[in-house]
Amino acid sequence: MPQPQTSTMNPVKLKRQLLRQQRRDLRTAELIRLDKEIDNQLQAAAIERARELDTTVKGRYSIWRIEYQNPNSDSTLKLMRDQIIMAKAYASIAKANNETGLYDSLMQSSRESQHAIGDARSDAELQPSALDRAKAMGHALSIAKDQLYDCLVVARKLRAMLQSTEANVNLLKKKSAFLIQLAAKIVPKPLHCLPLQLTTDYYLQGFQNSGFPNKDKLEDTSLFHYAIFSDNVLATSVVVNSTLVHAKEPEKHVFHIVTDKLNFAAMKMWFLVNPLVGAAIQVENVDDFTWLNSSYCPVLRQLESARMKEYYFKANQASSLSVGSDNLKYRNPKYLSLLNHLRFYLPEVYPKLDKILFLDDDIVVQKDLTPLWSVNLRGMVNGAVETCKESFHRFDKYLNFTNPKISENFHPNACGWAFGMNVFDLKEWRKQDITGIYHHWQDLNEDRTLWKLGTLPPGLITFYNLTYPLERSWHVLGLGYDPALNQTAIENAAVVHYNGNYKPWLDLAIAKYKSYWSRYVLFDNSYLQLCNISG
C-alpha cells in the first residue's frame, strides 16, 4: 500500500500562494489609497450579483440572456443603452492608451447605436435593425474587452462617468427649478388683459360710486362669512362661484374680498357686472387699512429694510441658476405682498365678526361648506386639516431646530397643517392675543434664522397647540405639484387646493386636475372672451 502523503505543502504551491498573497496586499493597499469606501461598495455589489448568477447551466452567463426569455421586457433597449455606456468607458481608456483605431471604432459604434435607439422608450418602438446593431456593438465591445479590460481601471472609469452624470443632473435640476419658478411668477397675457379691461370700463363707465347690495349682512354674525385675500380676479371668481354653486342657502353666505390698489377697480368691476344671487359681497383695498403700517406690523418693517431689498432684488442673486430651488422658492415675490400676511390680522380687518372661514385663491370648493361653522373647535383658534404623514410635513421641515429659540419651545415631530381653508374663531383669537404672538416671533426672526420667508412657518408657530384638526376630506392639497394624488380623495373632497407652482390658470397646470377648476370659470363672459380666456 502506498504511504499517505504528509501535510507539508509543495514548495511550488507555497511560492504561488505567497505571490498571490502579495498581489492581494498590493491591490488592497491601492484600493484603500484611491477610495476605500467606494471600492468596497463596488466589490460587495459584485459579490452579491455573482451569488445570484446561475453558472450551472451553460449559456446562462449573461444577464441579458435571462431578460430575452421575457417577451414583455424591454431588454434590447436596456442592452443597447448599457452597451453605449460601456463603449464610452472603453473608448476613454483606449484614448488614454493611444489606441486611436479602437477609440474611433468604439465611438462610431456608439453613435450608430444611439441613432438606432432614437427616441424609443420600449423595444416596440425600436427600428427593425436595432437587434443587429446590438450584436455588432457586442462584437466591438468583445474586442475592446480582450485588449483593454482591467477591473480596477474600468471601475474607476465608470465611477468617473457616474460622478460626471450626477453633476450634470444636478445642474439640470437647478435650471429646471429656476425656469419653473420663473414661469410660475409670470402672468400670462390673457390674465394680464382681464384686469386691464375691467379697470378701463370701471372708470369709463362710471362705476366708481357704485356699491354692492346687502350691506346689512356684512357684520351679521348669524351668517357664514368668508375671507379671500387675492390680486387675481379670475381665481377669486372661481372660489366664489364654486362656493355658491354648492351652498344650500346662498343668501346666508357673505364674501369679504381684499385686494391691492392695482387690482381694486378690476376686482370690484367683476362682481358688479357679475352679481351674486342672494349672497353678499364686499371688496376692499388693502392700502386703505392705514393701521397696517411698518410701525405696527413687524413683517412690513422687515420688508422695507435694505437687507431684505438686497435679498430680493440684487441681480446676481435673484436670477442665478446656481441658486438652489429652495432659495429660489423663498424669493417668490408673493412673500413681499401685504395680502400674503393679512391673514394674521383677521380680527382687526373684521372687528365685528366672531368666526370666519379663510380661503386661498387657488382652491376650488366642491361641497357645501356650511357645516364648518358648526364644528366645535374645543377652545382652539384655528380649525385646519393636518398634513403630516409619517415624518412628512412636521415642524422640523419648516423650522430651524438648531436654534434654541425653536428647539426649546416646539416639538420637531409636531404635526403641520394647511393654510388655504381655515376656520378661525375670532373671539378666541382676540382673547388669547394671537396677533401679539405672531408679532413676537416675527421680531425674533428678523434675520431669517428661525424660518425662511412665507406664512406657513409663522402660522405653525403662532397657532401651536391652538389648532383643531379637521377631517381630511374637508381639504385635499397637492394639485399644484403632485401628479400622483388619489383620484377618489380629490373627487370626495370638500375643497381641493392647487398649492404649488402648477396653478390651474397657467400652462404649467397638471392636465388631469385642470377640469376641477375650469368647470367653475364663466367662459361665456364677455370679458373672458375679449381676453381669449378659454378652457
Side-chain angles (χ1 to χ4, degrees):
M1 296 293 293
Q3 294 294 324
Q5 293 182 356
T6 63
S7 60
T8 304
M9 184 177 290
N10 188 294
V12 175
K13 291 184 177 179
L14 181 60
K15 185 175 182 180
R16 288 177 181 172
Q17 186 181 46
L18 292 173
L19 289 174
R20 283 197 298 269
Q21 185 60 43
Q22 290 175 0
R23 286 197 296 271
R24 290 194 194 101
D25 293 342
L26 289 173
R27 183 172 58 187
T28 301
E30 180 69 11
L31 289 172
I32 293 173
R33 186 181 68 81
L34 292 174
D35 192 344
K36 181 177 179 180
E37 182 179 353
I38 294 177
D39 285 336
N40 284 342
Q41 291 175 356
L42 289 172
Q43 185 181 21
I47 291 172
E48 187 63 29
R49 287 196 299 272
R51 287 174 180 171
E52 296 175 356
L53 189 63
D54 184 4
T55 59
T56 61
V57 182
K58 187 175 181 180
R60 292 288 185 89
Y61 56 83
S62 171
I63 61 173
W64 299 111
R65 298 292 179 87
I66 298 173
E67 291 201 17
Y68 280 137
Q69 295 174 8
N70 181 3
N72 297 320
S73 70
D74 294 324
S75 54
T76 303
L77 181 61
K78 293 176 183 176
L79 173 60
M80 294 182 72
R81 285 174 174 167
D82 283 358
Q83 284 179 333
I84 291 172
I85 293 173
M86 291 306 302
K88 290 180 179 178
Y90 280 128
S92 179
I93 297 172
K95 188 175 183 179
N97 293 340
N98 293 322
E99 299 282 351
T100 56
L102 185 57
Y103 169 80
D104 293 337
S105 174
L106 288 169
M107 293 304 296
Q108 178 65 24
S109 296
S110 177
R111 286 191 291 269
E112 291 174 356
S113 291
Q114 189 63 60
H115 178 72
I117 292 175
D119 296 327
R121 292 174 293 180
S122 66
D123 281 3
E125 298 177 4
L126 287 172
Q127 300 175 9
S129 61
L131 189 57
D132 293 334
R133 176 89 288 280
K135 292 178 180 178
M137 174 66 96
H139 179 68
L141 289 175
S142 177
I143 295 173
K145 181 178 179 181
D146 290 341
Q147 297 185 29
L148 302 172
Y149 184 75
D150 181 283
C151 183
L152 185 59
V153 174
V154 172
R156 289 178 190 168
K157 180 52 62 180
L158 290 174
R159 187 186 307 133
M161 291 172 65
L162 177 62
Q163 292 172 345
S164 176
T165 302
E166 287 178 345
N168 289 334
V169 168
N170 290 333
L171 179 60
L172 290 174
K173 282 182 178 179
K174 289 181 179 180
K175 289 182 178 180
S176 175
F178 174 81
L179 293 174
I180 289 174
Q181 292 288 344
L182 183 62
K185 297 171 188 176
I186 294 174
V187 179
K189 185 177 179 179
L191 290 186
H192 184 63
C193 164
L194 180 61
L196 289 179
Q197 292 292 339
L198 288 167
T199 301
T200 301
D201 287 354
Y202 178 80
Y203 289 107
L204 289 180
Q205 298 180 20
F207 279 88
Q208 297 94 315
N209 298 320
S210 300
F212 297 101
N214 302 317
K215 289 185 177 181
D216 56 311
K217 295 183 178 181
L218 298 181
E219 297 179 352
D220 188 343
T221 56
S222 66
L223 302 179
F224 309 121
H225 296 264
Y226 303 85
I228 306 170
F229 304 150
S230 173
D231 58 1
N232 188 323
V233 176
L234 185 62
T236 304
S237 73
V238 169
V239 176
V240 174
N241 187 30
S242 63
T243 304
L244 285 180
V245 165
H246 299 285
K248 294 180 179 178
E249 298 177 290
E251 67 279 0
K252 291 186 177 181
H253 294 260
V254 183
F255 296 90
H256 302 268
I257 299 171
V258 180
T259 187
D260 56 15
K261 185 177 182 179
L262 185 63
N263 294 280
F264 173 71
M267 189 74 75
K268 187 177 177 182
M269 183 67 178
W270 174 268
F271 289 104
L272 284 172
V273 298
N274 298 284
L276 308 183
V277 179
I281 191 164
Q282 177 187 36
V283 178
E284 295 181 279
N285 180 359
V286 69
D287 293 308
D288 292 337
F289 300 157
T290 55
W291 51 269
L292 195 62
N293 50 57
S294 58
S295 62
Y296 174 62
C297 177
V299 73
L300 281 181
R301 183 170 61 254
Q302 294 165 16
L303 291 174
E304 292 176 359
S305 68
R307 182 191 303 174
M308 192 69 70
K309 290 178 181 178
E310 181 181 9
Y311 178 79
Y312 273 102
F313 300 112
K314 193 171 182 180
N316 66 338
Q317 291 182 353
S319 61
S320 174
L321 292 181
S322 63
V323 178
S325 58
D326 286 342
N327 288 333
L328 287 170
K329 178 175 66 175
Y330 295 125
R331 285 191 169 90
N332 195 312
K334 72 178 182 179
Y335 297 127
L336 293 172
S337 171
L338 185 55
L339 293 174
N340 200 45
H341 301 274
L342 191 61
R343 64 192 69 189
F344 292 103
Y345 299 95
L346 284 167
E348 286 93 331
V349 180
Y350 308 110
K352 300 294 182 65
L353 300 182
D354 296 335
K355 184 175 286 189
I356 200 164
L357 181 61
F358 173 80
L359 298 176
D360 268 341
D361 64 1
D362 55 353
I363 64 102
V364 172
V365 178
Q366 301 186 130
K367 293 183 180 179
D368 182 23
L369 299 183
T370 303
L372 282 172
W373 274 267
S374 302
V375 173
N376 183 0
L377 298 182
R378 300 180 183 179
M380 301 297 182
V381 180
N382 173 30
V385 169
E386 292 182 334
T387 55
C388 57
K389 296 178 181 178
E390 298 177 356
S391 62
F392 188 58
H393 283 177
R394 296 189 182 273
F395 270 45
D396 61 347
K397 303 298 181 184
Y398 302 99
L399 306 176
N400 178 17
F401 275 86
T402 62
N403 191 303
K405 294 176 184 177
I406 295 295
S407 59
E408 292 172 4
N409 289 281
F410 307 99
H411 197 285
N413 289 327
C415 193
W417 45 267
F419 259 138
M421 191 213 69
N422 306 80
V423 182
F424 289 113
D425 185 335
L426 300 185
K427 292 176 66 176
E428 196 66 30
W429 184 314
R430 298 182 186 100
K431 180 180 177 181
Q432 301 200 36
D433 189 22
I434 299 301
T435 304
I437 296 174
Y438 167 70
H439 283 174
H440 169 74
W441 284 101
Q442 280 288 1
D443 284 332
L444 292 177
N445 193 47
E446 186 168 1
D447 55 359
R448 302 192 307 280
T449 56
L450 304 185
W451 68 84
K452 298 294 184 181
L453 294 176
T455 54
L456 183 55
L460 296 176
I461 286 179
T462 302
F463 297 100
Y464 185 62
N465 291 333
L466 295 171
T467 298
Y468 177 81
L470 299 175
E471 205 278 322
R472 285 187 181 275
S473 63
W474 278 112
H475 188 187
V476 169
L477 299 99
L479 279 75
Y481 70 89
D482 187 356
L485 294 175
N486 184 287
Q487 205 74 16
T488 303
I490 295 175
E491 293 170 359
N492 293 335
V495 167
V496 292
H497 195 168
Y498 292 82
N499 56 311
N501 285 322
Y502 307 135
K503 302 300 183 187
W505 54 83
L506 298 175
D507 292 336
L508 293 173
I510 300 173
K512 63 180 179 179
Y513 300 152
K514 195 164 185 178
S515 62
Y516 296 105
W517 183 82
S518 60
R519 67 183 61 164
Y520 299 104
V521 178
L522 305 176
F523 289 113
D524 58 347
N525 181 274
S526 59
Y527 285 102
L528 269 59
Q529 293 179 352
L530 182 64
C531 292
N532 295 320
I533 298 176
S534 61

